[in-house]
Amino acid sequence: MTLLPPGSTIGILGGGQLGRMLASAAAELGYRTHVLAPDAESVAAQTASSFTRADYHSRIVLDEMAELCDVVTYEFENIAIDPVAYLASKVPVHPAPAALEIAQDRASEKAFIDTIGGRTAPWRRVTSIAELQAALTVIGAPAILKTLRLGYDGKGQVRIADAGEAEAAWEAIGQQPAILEGFVTFSHEFSIILARGHDGSMVSYPPPWNQHKDGILALSTLPAPAEIAGQWAVAAALTGRIADALGYVGILTCEFFATVDGPVFNEMAPRVHNSGHWTIEGAVASQFENHIRAICGLPLGDSALTAPAVEMENLIGNDVDRCAEILAEPGAHLHLYGKANARPGRKMGHVTRLKRL
Ligand code: ADP
Ligand code: MG
């Protein structure tokens, strides 16, 4: 692909904070952005050049978007495939819809990883209570039951401590197609954030240690402890194989568990990721910049740390009340997403702290 000249327009499907930060990064590189989202209040639209508030399924709106944009990307993976595939028939879309299709279904995602030699938790696809009970006899307890599709931030999943809890778990996830995963004993969670360009070049970031609270990412810290650092190469190599196998263009994120037997793949996201927000100030080129560079055919930017240690803390719900305190901290960079209401569990912003060791 030829390099997209500055002044070109990048379409973004989705109106959340990831789109907001992508639009800012695009603007810095001289590109225009156009956001399509159904939300009345789109925080991505606040930083984009233009915004269409509409349903993703309107052909008229998609035709307009294809006309207006030189390349299209998306900022969330639960978008329906149809509009993405339709756009891809008219304008370059990155990452390609095939990556989205795999990442949207936990069973196809895990099966795909199995085929390219990655390690996952033992898993079975289940579509009925009988299949769940049968899967439990193979996988054993404790285990986790996750809806096949549409899960995020720990939603759509329930832990099963012993086989007697199967029925309650099946009810709890709404009796829908799911996967049962064996419970992985891990010391740490981490992620590999990798950018791949049209020419197959790749850059990946040093892995953050990701700590969750109530199923939501709370903290990402770097440099990662030895338990993660020792598994970085294997996890990054697997992420690279995934990107190559998919002919991927853009940022790809894979979440891993660090175990005594090496990294276990948890899930992938075909997009920029919350565990990469630290890269805005904590890396030479951010994940958002590298996504824009990749989809526009520019050379990829440097992923090296800009400080000896970096920490990203999510500001969830009422955490935003601490803004004044955070602004007074030396080395702290506050990001607010422009959301009007601080509901519990809602990601309102984040703070990145650049630290000395
Ligand atoms: P989400 O899409 O909500 O991020 P994940 O599959 O990443 O879903 O699960 C959320 C969190 O639950 C993980 O970050 C991890 O802490 C925990 N978890 C998920 N699967 C397993 C597993 N098989 N074994 C142990 N812990 C798990
Ligand atoms: Mg996850």
Side-chain angles (χ1 to χ4, degrees):
M1 120 137 202
T2 49
L3 183 151
L4 264 192
S8 301
T9 301
I10 300 167
I12 301 173
L13 297 166
Q17 63 266 17
L18 300 178
R20 179 184 179 90
M21 290 183 270
L22 279 172
S24 298
E28 282 188 18
L29 289 170
Y31 293 107
R32 298 177 57 80
T33 46
H34 177 76
V35 166
L36 170 61
D39 323 73
E41 183 209 30
S42 160
V43 299
Q46 293 171 5
T47 62
S49 318
S50 56
F51 172 46
T52 298
R53 182 192 173 188
D55 186 88
Y56 296 115
H57 294 274
S58 157
R59 286 285 158 106
I60 296 166
V61 168
L62 294 173
D63 287 341
E64 262 171 24
M65 185 160 190
E67 192 64 32
L68 184 69
C69 298
D70 300 291
V71 63
V72 170
T73 190
Y74 41 87
E75 60 105 53
F76 72 118
E77 73 266 36
N78 288 330
I79 185 160
I81 293 286
D82 278 3
V84 182
Y86 180 72
L87 278 169
S89 71
K90 306 197 140 213
V91 61
V93 174
H94 302 296
L100 190 58
E101 237 169 328
I102 290 177
Q104 281 183 349
D105 181 301
R106 291 189 190 274
S108 44
E109 181 178 270
K110 289 232 169 26
F112 172 64
I113 297 306
D114 292 342
T115 63
I116 60 167
R119 270 186 64 209
T120 64
W123 63 276
R124 287 284 184 287
R125 190 174 187 278
V126 296
T127 57
S128 65
I129 178 69
E131 284 180 12
L132 171 58
Q133 280 158 341
L136 270 167
T137 64
V138 183
I139 287 171
I144 303 189
L145 184 65
K146 302 180 181 176
T147 58
L148 268 193
R149 308 179 76 90
L150 302 175
Y152 70 99
D153 284 348
K155 294 185 177 66
Q157 56 178 269
V158 51
R159 296 188 182 197
I160 299 179
D162 66 72
E165 294 177 8
E167 277 192 38
W170 185 241
E171 294 280 327
I173 64 149
Q175 306 183 331
Q176 56 177 305
I179 67 167
L180 182 73
E181 283 183 34
F183 197 85
V184 178
T185 305
F186 58 82
S187 65
H188 297 80
E189 292 188 70
F190 67 101
S191 49
I192 299 291
I193 296 161
L194 177 143
R196 186 175 183 279
H198 288 271
D199 57 357
S201 58
M202 292 193 258
V203 162
S204 76
Y205 290 89
W209 173 23
N210 300 325
Q211 293 172 262
H212 298 83
K213 194 168 165 263
D214 303 326
I216 304 176
L217 182 69
L219 214 56
S220 292
T221 51
L222 297 108
E227 292 90 335
I228 293 172
Q231 312 202 349
W232 175 3
V234 174
L238 176 67
T239 308
R241 289 209 300 283
I242 296 170
D244 277 338
L246 295 170
Y248 197 93
V249 173
I251 290 276
L252 170 71
T253 307
C254 290
E255 296 177 15
F256 291 91
F257 303 123
T259 78
V260 288
D261 304 317
V264 171
F265 171 95
N266 175 30
E267 62 169 353
M268 67 189 228
R271 55 168 171 79
V272 288
H273 198 259
N274 194 171
S275 66
H277 289 1
W278 62 270
T279 61
I280 297 176
E281 294 88 9
V284 177
S286 77
Q287 62 166 348
F288 303 100
E289 176 176 345
N290 263 328
H291 187 74
I292 299 299
R293 285 184 185 226
I295 67 173
C296 293
L298 308 180
L300 301 177
D302 189 355
S303 62
L305 296 185
T306 58
V310 182
E311 172 189 287
M312 189 286 308
E313 181 194 351
N314 263 341
L315 300 176
I316 294 166
N318 290 334
D319 290 346
V320 286
D321 296 345
R322 289 195 277 114
C323 279
E325 256 169 71
I326 291 165
L327 286 167
E329 279 180 48
H333 294 269
L334 178 68
H335 293 256
L336 295 178
Y337 302 151
K339 297 181 183 177
N341 302 311
R343 289 193 297 273
R346 192 170 197 212
K347 290 172 177 168
M348 301 300 293
H350 71 265
V351 50
T352 298
R353 299 184 173 93
L354 304 185
K355 300 176 167 190
R356 295 185 187 87
L357 277 178

